[in-house]
Amino acid sequence: LLDATCAPQDIRHPHDVTLLSESREKLEGIIDTICESAPEVIEKPRTYRKRARGQYLTFIRGRRRTRQEIRRATRKQLGYIRRDLRHIAKLIETYGSEALSARQKRDYEVIQKIYEQQRYLYTNKTHSVPNKIISIAQDHVRPIARGKAARPFEFGAKISVSVTDGRMVFIDRLDWEPYNECHDLQMQVERYRKRFGHYPESVHADKIYRTHANRAWCNERGIRLSGMPPGRPLARTEENRALIRKLRKQLKRDDAIRQAVESVFGVGKRRYGMGLIKEKTKLTSEASINLCALLMNLETILRDRMRGFILRLWNWLGLELLSGAFCYFPN
């Protein structure tokens, strides 16, 4: 069973104006740090922080914000950030950046990228930019388009998952950038062969996986790919009635089998924490996602072993009870 999902991160819902306001406040803190650590007493450059904060609060407290109001607020915050970046560049050139902490240096680099991206979005009147940063603290997180009614976008790592007949879960790909999961089918099937020594009899996947290239690749290796076969549907004639009935039954069975991967995602997100990854860094988040899959597999193994133990115990107890009953009632 093949499918892809998103493991959402525990971050605030991104808003461009809020992201710019947070960037501006961090830049103001960097300016204060450099000025306070200067060898002589210097006058802080003018940043208009009170005015910028008031303008942001006035905008964010509005219930309904029009497109013109959003662009106006974005333009103002971009102007404040541009001024702060210019001041910081002059201060670093004069006094150096030794007074800044490692976190402030990292935030300064991330904010520069955010400013370039937001300026591009504002200038070109668009909402899409490559490698868009939506969080300063977690700059590796990207918006993932899922196409769901409640959540058209999710923010986290996208994972390609394969599930075997024994309900063992394997994460074959984990990426923070959005990608098309149909290109992972061949890689996932080859990994199945590497794990178990042979190709699977059938692969059950969503419609997005059923491309001409994937169908041809599976046919060459004798693998049946679930779903409607390519080409025009069969005509409803007396000769094709039995074949059409068999095909419909097979499609219904394939769809029922494929639905099991959705339950695996539900269990992983509701019971094992994959629905909200609370780790902050990229490495710890990836470790947490893989740990969820490991725990799901361990529970599957323990459940199967416990079921076998209970069956053996039940058979033993049943034989003992039957033998005792025959001894008590010899007739």
Side-chain angles (χ1 to χ4, degrees), residues 120-132:
Y120 173 84
L121 295 176
Y122 177 81
T123 304
N124 295 275
K125 297 182 180 180
T126 182
H127 298 283
S128 178
V129 64
N131 303 322
K132 184 178 181 181

Side-chain angles (χ1 to χ4, degrees), residues 13-78:
H13 187 79
H15 195 284
D16 292 342
V17 180
T18 302
L19 182 63
L20 290 174
S21 177
E22 183 181 358
S23 302
R24 174 188 53 79
E25 292 177 354
K26 289 184 178 296
L27 292 178
E28 293 168 357
I30 293 175
I31 292 175
D32 295 341
T33 301
I34 297 177
C35 292
E36 292 173 358
S37 62
E40 68 274 3
V41 179
I42 60 175
E43 183 180 359
K44 291 183 181 181
R46 185 172 298 179
T47 57
Y48 302 97
R49 62 184 67 189
K50 291 184 179 180
R51 181 188 301 178
R53 177 65 177 174
Q55 292 173 352
Y56 167 73
L57 292 177
T58 302
F59 165 79
I60 206 65
R61 288 172 181 172
R63 292 186 177 181
R64 295 183 179 179
R65 295 178 285 273
T66 63
R67 184 179 302 177
Q68 291 78 10
E69 293 175 347
I70 295 175
R71 284 186 57 83
R72 189 182 306 114
T74 303
R75 176 176 55 81
K76 292 179 180 179
Q77 296 297 323
L78 284 174

Side-chain angles (χ1 to χ4, degrees), residues 1 161-170 196 260 263-265 267-268 271-272 291-309:
L1 312 180
V161 177
S162 60
V163 183
T164 63
D165 292 338
R167 296 298 181 266
M168 299 297 291
V169 181
F170 299 95
F196 302 102
S263 65
V264 170
F265 290 156
V267 171
R271 294 183 57 185
Y272 294 94
L291 184 60
C292 292
L294 175 62
L295 292 176
M296 294 172 65
N297 292 334
L298 289 177
E299 186 191 17
T300 301
I301 295 172
L302 290 176
R303 184 173 61 247
D304 294 342
R305 296 204 172 195
M306 182 59 68
R307 184 185 295 113
F309 172 74

Side-chain angles (χ1 to χ4, degrees), residues 311-328:
L311 288 176
R312 290 194 298 271
L313 181 62
W314 177 258
N315 293 333
W316 179 77
L317 290 176
L319 291 176
E320 290 291 329
L321 291 176
L322 287 176
S323 62
F326 287 132
C327 292
Y328 189 74

Side-chain angles (χ1 to χ4, degrees), residues 113-176:
K113 298 177 183 178
I114 292 175
Y115 172 74
E116 296 296 333
Q117 291 181 354
Q118 293 296 327
R119 188 179 64 175
Y120 173 84
L121 295 176
Y122 177 81
T123 304
N124 295 275
K125 297 182 180 180
T126 182
H127 298 283
S128 178
V129 64
N131 303 322
K132 184 178 181 181
I133 300 175
I134 58 177
S135 174
I136 300 176
Q138 304 182 48
D139 58 314
H140 56 279
V141 180
R142 300 288 183 267
I144 306 296
R146 299 302 299 160
K148 300 179 181 178
R151 296 179 180 178
F153 284 90
E154 292 181 345
F155 310 97
K158 188 174 183 179
I159 55 177
S160 294
V161 177
S162 60
V163 183
T164 63
D165 292 338
R167 296 298 181 266
M168 299 297 291
V169 181
F170 299 95
I171 298 179
D172 297 318
R173 181 178 180 182
L174 191 154
D175 202 337
W176 295 94

Side-chain angles (χ1 to χ4, degrees), residues 40-306:
E40 68 274 3
V41 179
I42 60 175
E43 183 180 359
K44 291 183 181 181
R46 185 172 298 179
T47 57
Y48 302 97
R49 62 184 67 189
K50 291 184 179 180
R51 181 188 301 178
R53 177 65 177 174
Q55 292 173 352
Y56 167 73
L57 292 177
T58 302
F59 165 79
I60 206 65
R61 288 172 181 172
R63 292 186 177 181
R64 295 183 179 179
R65 295 178 285 273
T66 63
R67 184 179 302 177
Q68 291 78 10
E69 293 175 347
I70 295 175
R71 284 186 57 83
R72 189 182 306 114
T74 303
R75 176 176 55 81
K76 292 179 180 179
Q77 296 297 323
L78 284 174
Y80 294 127
I81 292 177
R82 182 177 63 251
R83 180 184 291 105
D84 292 344
L85 289 174
R86 188 166 57 246
H87 291 327
I88 292 175
K90 293 181 180 179
L91 291 173
I92 291 178
E93 183 180 359
T94 305
Y95 301 103
S97 60
E98 291 77 11
L100 299 178
S101 62
R103 186 180 184 86
Q104 287 179 322
K105 293 179 181 178
R106 175 195 167 277
D107 291 344
Y108 178 58
E109 295 178 358
V110 173
I111 291 172
Q112 287 178 321
K113 298 177 183 178
I114 292 175
Y115 172 74
E116 296 296 333
Q117 291 181 354
Q118 293 296 327
R119 188 179 64 175
Y120 173 84
L121 295 176
Y122 177 81
T123 304
N124 295 275
K125 297 182 180 180
T126 182
H127 298 283
S128 178
V129 64
N131 303 322
K132 184 178 181 181
I133 300 175
I134 58 177
S135 174
I136 300 176
Q138 304 182 48
D139 58 314
H140 56 279
V141 180
R142 300 288 183 267
I144 306 296
R146 299 302 299 160
K148 300 179 181 178
R151 296 179 180 178
F153 284 90
E154 292 181 345
F155 310 97
K158 188 174 183 179
I159 55 177
S160 294
V161 177
S162 60
V163 183
T164 63
D165 292 338
R167 296 298 181 266
M168 299 297 291
V169 181
F170 299 95
I171 298 179
D172 297 318
R173 181 178 180 182
L174 191 154
D175 202 337
W176 295 94
E177 298 293 339
Y179 63 89
N180 193 340
E181 56 266 27
C182 73
H183 302 297
D184 294 340
L185 182 140
Q186 300 179 17
M187 176 268 294
Q188 291 178 277
V189 174
E190 288 294 343
R191 289 195 175 185
Y192 180 94
R193 181 188 180 187
K194 186 177 180 181
R195 294 186 186 109
F196 302 102
H198 59 84
Y199 285 116
E201 179 183 353
S202 62
V203 174
H204 301 263
D206 201 359
K207 292 182 179 180
I208 194 172
Y209 290 89
R210 302 167 193 169
T211 62
H212 291 286
N214 289 337
R215 288 184 182 276
W217 188 85
C218 291
N219 291 333
E220 292 176 359
R221 290 154 179 80
I223 303 172
R224 185 177 65 84
L225 186 59
S226 64
M228 182 71 69
R232 301 181 64 178
L234 297 175
R236 296 184 179 181
T237 59
E238 292 295 333
E239 295 79 5
N240 296 333
R241 178 175 297 179
L243 184 59
I244 292 175
R245 187 182 300 110
K246 181 180 179 181
L247 181 60
R248 287 182 177 177
K249 185 181 296 185
Q250 183 66 50
L251 293 176
K252 186 175 181 180
R253 183 172 178 271
D254 289 345
D255 187 64
I257 294 174
R258 197 202 69 82
Q259 291 299 324
V261 72
E262 302 294 342
S263 65
V264 170
F265 290 156
V267 171
K269 291 185 177 182
R270 290 178 178 271
R271 294 183 57 185
Y272 294 94
M274 195 181 290
L276 189 64
I277 305 299
K278 297 182 179 180
E279 283 68 27
K280 300 299 181 183
T281 64
K282 182 179 180 179
L283 183 61
T284 54
S285 298
E286 293 175 356
S288 178
I289 294 172
N290 286 280
L291 184 60
C292 292
L294 175 62
L295 292 176
M296 294 172 65
N297 292 334
L298 289 177
E299 186 191 17
T300 301
I301 295 172
L302 290 176
R303 184 173 61 247
D304 294 342
R305 296 204 172 195
M306 182 59 68

